[in-house]
């Protein structure tokens, strides 16, 4: 009995195959404890010999079985640790990490550039009243200029004061909203989605604009031109220049179209730009009627505004890599992973 107990507890404690083998020898080997004990059976008086014999056999069987069970458990464990062995020096597996979408990257970059010169980033509703998108921006009722914006109208009864509801076709709708919310000095950067009924390689029905509005005492065209130059050099590079051309918008007077020197030919003229300049978007000095509609006295304050397309400046920066603006909305990883 003693032999059985000590053998079983030793077997259970055995850590590996080698130790188990030693225990086996110690009990069942040629001169093992149990083997020797069995030899002693002949010395037992004949009447007890059968009982002692069967007891000894039981002990032998138990020891053998315990060894067998424990052996398979140890083998399993060993093969597991062999395959799961951790090599901390092996190079890691790099997880596939994506990046922000191109447009989000551009929005962040543009915000950061204007933040440096004191512009506060805002965002106003995309579903907007006619009042903010047109009426208070000095568009006469039923004036054909409203057609330039190819507006989507929302099916619902017009508000008696604010008119019909629309999807805002430009971020200029934020101008009056900002004036209603804040007294001058104002330095606003409104970046938002805009909607127009259009679709071709350089237009999509939904796009982003960034709109600047500055209202303060003695603001002049020189401030506008300085801000344009600063943006163009910060965003496109030191070697790029900006120019303003006379244009017409209802809400600015005078109004300008802003061009940027072409990055491909450095302003000399090439296939992309024809005459060395790429058109970026509109700008101008805030019309006195617009200031008045926003509750600001145009005799005391003046201002400038500009509104450009995020996708447009992005394409002008990346040049030939984006030859169809609609790729930006395609979720095509082959395209997006290039950037
Ligand atoms: N809102 C005009 C557009 O979408 C751009 C613009 C903004 C022009 C501000 C002048 C001043 O085309």
């Amino acid at each position: 009995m003693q032999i059985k107990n000590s053998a079983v507890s030793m077997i259970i404690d055995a850590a590996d195959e080698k130790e188990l083998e030693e225990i086996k020898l110690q009990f069942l080997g040629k001169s093992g404890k149990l083997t020797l004990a069995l030899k002693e059976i002949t010395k037992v008086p004949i009447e007890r010999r059968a009982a002692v014999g069967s007891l000894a056999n039981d002990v032998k069987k138990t020891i053998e079985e315990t060894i067998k069970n424990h052996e398979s458990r140890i083998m399993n464990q060993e093969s597991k640790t062999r395959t799961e062995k951790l090599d901390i020096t092996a190079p890691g597996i790099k997880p596939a990490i994506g990046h922000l979408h191109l447009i989000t990257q551009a929005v962040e970059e543009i915000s950061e550039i204007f933040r440096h010169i004191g512009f506060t980033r805002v965002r106003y509703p995309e579903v907007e009243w006619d009042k903010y998108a047109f009426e208070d921006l000095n568009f006469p009722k039923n004036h054909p200029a409203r057609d330039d914006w190819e507006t989507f109208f929302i099916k619902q009864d017009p508000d008696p004061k604010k008119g019909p509801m629309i999807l805002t076709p430009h971020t200029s709708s934020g101008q009056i909203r900002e004036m209603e919310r804040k007294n001058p000095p104002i330095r606003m950067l409104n970046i938002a989605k805009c909607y127009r009924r259009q679709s071709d390689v350089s237009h999509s029905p939904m796009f982003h604009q960034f709109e600047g509005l500055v209202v303060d005492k003695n603001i002049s065209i020189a401030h506008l031109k300085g801000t344009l130059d600063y943006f163009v050099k910060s965003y496109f590079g030191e070697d790029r220049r900006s120019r303003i051309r006379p244009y017409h918008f209802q809400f600015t007077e005078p109004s300008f179209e802003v061009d940027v020197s072409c990055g491909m030919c450095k302003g000399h003229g090439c296939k992309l730009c024809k005459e060395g300049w790429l058109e970026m978007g509109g700008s101008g000095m805030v019309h006195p009627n617009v200031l008045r509609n926003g509750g600001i006295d145009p005799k005391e304050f003046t201002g400038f505004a500009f509104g450009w397309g995020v996708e447009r400046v992005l394409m002008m920066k990346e040049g030939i890599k984006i030859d169809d603006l609609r790729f930006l909305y395609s979720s095509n990883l082959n395209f997006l992973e290039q950037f």
Side-chain angles (χ1 to χ4, degrees):
M1 262 334 222
Q2 227 184 346
I3 292 181
K4 183 173 134 187
N5 288 344
S6 68
V8 168
S9 73
M10 278 170 82
I11 294 165
I12 289 168
D13 285 346
D16 54 29
E17 247 182 302
K18 213 172 124 202
E19 232 175 90
L20 209 58
E21 197 54 40
E22 272 163 21
I23 297 167
K24 216 172 173 177
L25 274 178
Q26 212 179 325
F27 289 92
L28 308 175
K30 257 191 194 154
S31 45
K33 282 182 192 162
L34 190 67
T35 322
L36 293 179
L38 284 170
K39 277 185 188 158
E40 296 292 296
I41 277 185
T42 46
K43 292 185 188 152
V44 172
I46 193 100
E47 65 275 12
R48 285 181 55 215
R49 205 175 285 171
V52 172
S54 90
L55 185 71
N57 273 329
D58 268 358
V59 171
K60 193 179 173 194
K61 235 164 116 187
T62 310
I63 293 177
E64 278 171 351
E65 270 169 21
T66 315
I67 286 179
K68 224 166 136 190
N69 287 343
H70 202 64
E71 208 166 37
S72 62
R73 202 174 321 142
I74 283 178
M75 298 279 259
N76 268 344
Q77 246 172 30
E78 284 195 346
S79 70
K80 230 180 181 175
T81 42
R82 226 173 280 138
T83 51
E84 280 177 9
K85 220 196 274 164
L86 181 68
D87 178 2
I88 55 161
T89 62
I93 301 162
K94 214 173 162 193
I97 301 177
H99 58 68
L100 292 176
H101 189 275
L102 268 183
I103 294 178
T104 313
Q105 287 179 29
V107 165
E108 287 191 355
E109 197 181 343
I110 293 164
S111 310
E112 187 58 18
I113 289 173
F114 282 104
R115 195 178 63 80
H116 278 288
I117 52 169
F119 281 70
T120 303
R121 163 98 186 268
V122 296
R123 207 175 147 185
Y124 287 117
E126 291 167 27
V127 181
E128 185 53 289
W129 298 106
D130 174 277
K131 166 185 158 75
Y132 293 108
F134 295 123
E135 189 72 22
D136 282 0
L137 290 180
N138 202 35
F139 285 80
K141 280 207 183 354
N142 303 321
H143 190 282
R146 291 183 188 224
D147 294 345
D148 293 347
W149 274 265
E150 299 165 311
T151 311
F152 289 111
F153 286 83
I154 306 274
K155 240 191 199 166
Q156 74 137 51
D157 292 337
D159 180 272
K161 290 211 183 85
K162 300 178 199 148
M165 203 168 228
I166 57 170
L167 293 182
T168 197
H170 57 176
T171 42
S172 299
S173 52
Q175 291 190 18
I176 297 284
R177 285 195 175 266
E178 182 77 0
M179 292 181 209
E180 282 182 351
R181 197 175 66 91
K182 239 180 137 256
N183 292 324
I186 290 173
R187 281 186 200 182
M188 166 200 93
L189 186 72
N190 176 26
I191 310 188
K193 291 190 181 87
C194 303
Y195 303 83
R196 293 185 198 177
R197 200 169 163 273
Q198 54 183 16
S199 182
D200 59 47
V201 289
S202 56
H203 296 92
S204 72
M206 190 279 292
F207 60 103
H208 298 75
Q209 276 191 340
F210 58 110
E211 178 104 3
L213 174 71
V214 172
V215 181
D216 205 345
K217 290 192 166 137
N218 301 318
I219 294 293
S220 71
I221 296 175
H223 294 108
L224 168 62
K225 183 67 168 75
T227 307
L228 300 184
D229 279 341
Y230 162 75
F231 173 73
V232 166
K233 290 195 187 304
S234 311
Y235 185 73
F236 295 106
E238 276 302 317
D239 57 339
R240 306 286 283 272
R241 286 168 297 134
S242 79
R243 81 173 178 191
I244 52 176
R245 277 183 289 119
Y247 202 71
H248 171 77
F249 292 103
Q250 285 296 128
F251 38 97
T252 45
E253 182 59 38
S255 302
F256 310 102
E257 193 77 279
V258 180
D259 296 336
V260 179
S261 61
C262 175
M264 293 279 285
C265 63
K266 305 276 171 262
H268 298 301
C270 67
K271 257 202 334 218
L272 183 72
C273 65
K274 310 241 164 32
E275 288 170 5
W277 296 92
L278 298 163
E279 208 179 284
M280 192 156 74
S283 70
M285 301 308 290
V286 182
H287 196 292
N289 287 350
V290 174
L291 289 172
R292 234 174 261 125
N293 291 339
I296 293 173
D297 182 359
K299 286 199 204 86
E300 199 184 342
F301 295 101
T302 48
F304 69 78
F306 57 84
W308 304 321
V310 173
E311 290 82 352
R312 174 167 274 255
V313 296
L314 184 64
M315 284 169 78
M316 282 164 63
K317 184 174 180 164
E318 297 293 340
I320 222 74
K321 261 194 266 176
I322 310 175
D323 48 17
D324 188 336
L325 174 139
R326 291 167 298 186
F327 272 138
L328 291 170
Y329 303 104
S330 67
S331 308
N332 179 342
L333 289 182
N334 286 339
F335 168 75
L336 293 170
E337 279 170 355
Q338 294 176 82
F339 301 93

